[in-house]
Amino acid sequence: MSDNTHNLASLAPVHLTLETTSTCNLRCIMCKHHRPGIGHKNHVMNMDLFQSVLEELSNSIGFVCLTVTGDTFCDPLLSSRLASIKRHPKLTIEIITNGHLLTEQNLRPFQGMRNPLYITVSVDSPYDLTYSSIRGGRGVSVPLENLKKLKKLAQTLEIEEINQGISFVMMKRTILGLIPFLSIAAELGCDKFSTSHLIVVDETLGAESLFQYPVFTNYTIAAAREKALELGLQFHAPPFFAVTEQEILSYKSCRITRCDYLERRLTVGADGRVEACCNFLDPIPILGNSLKEPVMSVWNGERRSLYRQALREDNPLFPCNNCCILELDKEYLFASEPFGVSCPPELRNTEQTPDLKKEGFFLLSAEDAEEEIASKLASL
């Protein structure tokens, strides 16, 4: 993208994320939000602020996301917010949810919606034991059942356009379920399957990071990509790990001087704070407060310009200098620290087929996987 294009893009955001609520109905191991010392819990954005920000930016943005830290369907004002958004039918709505509250009753406020609607359900395993170990003891049947019903419900509710997907966090306990899960996703009518690496928010999760198994992980992602293509699923995955000398050199020589969050996206918290991005690890820089000034004043303000210019000059400020989001824009992954874990290259297991039992992976034989998949689908 040219500099001129970036300069034009930075005049106004094209993507708006609103923390309509920070309340969530689950306590997942990879989420820092519910941990002690983390603020902004159980907040709900008031409607005056919501409408003010939406109306101010409605002529520039093309996307509005109703998710930051909580679950959209925990928002007591969701119906009123959707009524406001419906007045701007060209706006695409993005929702990320754990799927447990994705019920007919909770979808009724979307009735008659003309806005394109993208709903992504965060599910990290099709297997109950694995899912339960991640999602605070909850079973996986409910979100899968809700996913299977979603498009039929959308037709009943006369929602004009809906796209459903799955978001899958890759870690040691989930990676072996990735390829079998693709088949389930296709059966459930999903359009897209997105994967991401675990961001280690607690040192107890360090052993779950796949930075320790770069070759095996690369092989698995490549196989998953082929399977998704066969199934007709859109598949999104992080870059491969750099393993060879040439790949590592390519990684080290790569410089990222643009950030989509600083150039095109705006995030507003439930309390009005305007955040620089959604980096999951470090304290996120606060650029201003939309309760005290118009969001466009914050967008064009000195603090945002400072972060953006420092990155453009290849001299990023903290926390941009250790950011997993920027790492994902590179051709390869290599440094583990931006993902919250210290995994020196010399200690990484570079076998294509490591001893999975010895290394502590959650094991499932092919026969067990097929049997459980068939059983899961039959019960929905």
Side-chain angles (χ1 to χ4, degrees):
M1 186 179 287
S2 69
D3 285 348
N4 287 337
T5 304
H6 270 286
N7 288 336
L8 288 172
S10 68
L11 292 176
V14 298
H15 187 287
L16 172 65
T17 298
L18 293 166
E19 186 184 45
T20 49
T21 182
S22 58
T23 300
C24 188
N25 54 317
L26 297 187
R27 297 292 181 267
C28 307
I29 62 170
M30 65 284 195
C31 180
K32 71 175 183 178
H33 177 61
H34 60 84
R35 297 171 186 273
I38 302 298
H40 312 299
K41 290 184 173 71
N42 301 316
H43 287 190
V44 176
M45 179 179 285
N46 69 61
M47 278 302 297
D48 287 342
L49 174 60
F50 178 88
Q51 290 178 324
S52 172
V53 174
L54 182 66
E55 294 304 319
E56 184 179 351
L57 298 178
S58 61
N59 290 329
S60 70
I61 57 174
F63 303 86
V64 59
C65 180
L66 305 182
T67 307
V68 179
T69 54
D71 191 286
T72 304
F73 294 99
C74 288
D75 178 13
L77 300 177
L78 179 59
S79 181
S80 299
R81 304 195 201 282
L82 292 173
S84 294
I85 295 174
K86 285 179 181 179
R87 294 199 289 267
H88 307 280
K90 292 184 179 180
L91 277 181
T92 295
I93 302 174
E94 297 177 349
I95 288 175
I96 303 172
T97 173
N98 56 55
H100 283 268
L101 301 176
L102 194 61
T103 62
E104 180 176 2
Q105 179 180 346
N106 289 334
L107 284 168
R108 289 205 171 277
F110 293 87
Q111 187 157 8
M113 178 160 281
R114 291 182 292 152
N115 306 69
L117 177 60
Y118 284 70
I119 295 182
T120 300
V121 178
S122 180
V123 186
D124 311 298
S125 175
Y127 309 123
D128 268 323
L129 287 177
T130 305
Y131 181 90
S132 177
S133 75
I134 296 168
R135 301 281 175 168
R138 301 291 288 272
V140 74
S141 295
V142 170
L144 294 186
E145 184 175 354
N146 288 341
L147 261 173
K148 186 172 185 179
K149 295 176 180 177
L150 183 55
K151 286 190 174 176
K152 186 175 181 180
L153 270 176
Q155 287 182 336
T156 302
L157 296 172
E158 300 180 321
I159 298 170
E160 286 192 6
E161 181 182 344
I162 188 167
N163 183 293
Q164 68 182 50
I166 285 175
S167 175
F168 178 98
V169 178
M170 296 186 295
M171 56 183 117
K172 190 188 293 185
R173 75 178 70 186
T174 66
I175 189 70
L176 294 179
L178 173 58
I179 295 174
F181 200 4
L182 292 170
S183 298
I184 292 180
E187 290 281 350
L188 295 175
C190 291
D191 306 287
K192 181 175 70 172
F193 196 105
S194 301
T195 65
S196 61
H197 281 299
L198 173 71
I199 299 174
V200 178
V201 298
D202 186 308
E203 61 182 13
T204 61
L205 293 176
E208 291 282 348
S209 174
L210 293 173
F211 272 85
Q212 301 172 84
Y213 309 97
V215 177
F216 172 72
T217 302
N218 288 351
Y219 174 81
T220 303
I221 291 175
R225 184 171 281 118
E226 286 188 16
K227 183 65 175 178
L229 184 64
E230 173 191 320
L231 294 167
L233 273 175
Q234 297 177 47
F235 183 76
H236 299 274
F240 288 135
F241 288 117
V243 178
T244 68
E245 202 170 299
Q246 184 176 351
E247 290 169 348
I248 294 170
L249 182 62
S250 175
Y251 166 83
K252 291 182 176 179
S253 63
C254 181
R255 294 291 180 268
I256 302 298
T257 58
R258 307 289 190 191
C259 174
D260 204 41
Y261 284 88
L262 292 173
E263 304 280 356
R264 297 165 58 83
R265 293 172 173 256
L266 185 69
T267 300
V268 180
D271 58 358
R273 68 191 186 282
V274 180
E275 298 180 330
C277 68
C278 64
N279 189 316
F280 209 54
L281 277 179
D282 298 302
I284 300 172
I286 306 300
L287 305 179
N289 194 301
S290 56
L291 289 174
K292 299 178 180 178
E293 58 182 319
V295 286
M296 283 305 299
S297 295
V298 179
W299 178 259
N300 292 315
E302 181 180 350
R303 190 161 170 78
R304 175 178 162 272
S305 297
L306 186 67
Y307 277 93
R308 188 182 62 207
Q309 192 59 35
L311 185 59
R312 288 180 175 181
E313 295 172 355
D314 196 21
N315 188 28
L317 302 175
F318 177 84
C320 304
N321 59 350
N322 189 45
C323 176
C324 62
I325 297 172
L326 295 179
E327 289 290 294
L328 294 171
D329 283 337
K330 297 181 178 180
E331 184 179 5
Y332 297 101
L333 297 179
F334 186 67
S336 60
E337 287 76 12
F339 292 82
V341 62
S342 178
C343 187
E346 64 273 14
L347 298 182
R348 297 177 188 181
N349 185 323
T350 56
E351 298 175 7
Q352 181 174 307
T353 53
D355 186 332
L356 299 176
K357 185 175 182 180
K358 179 181 178 182
E359 296 293 331
F361 284 76
F362 276 32
L363 296 178
L364 283 168
S365 71
E367 293 78 14
D368 289 341
E370 289 177 5
E371 181 179 345
E372 185 158 356
I373 289 170
S375 174
K376 188 71 63 182
L377 289 172
S379 67
L380 295 180

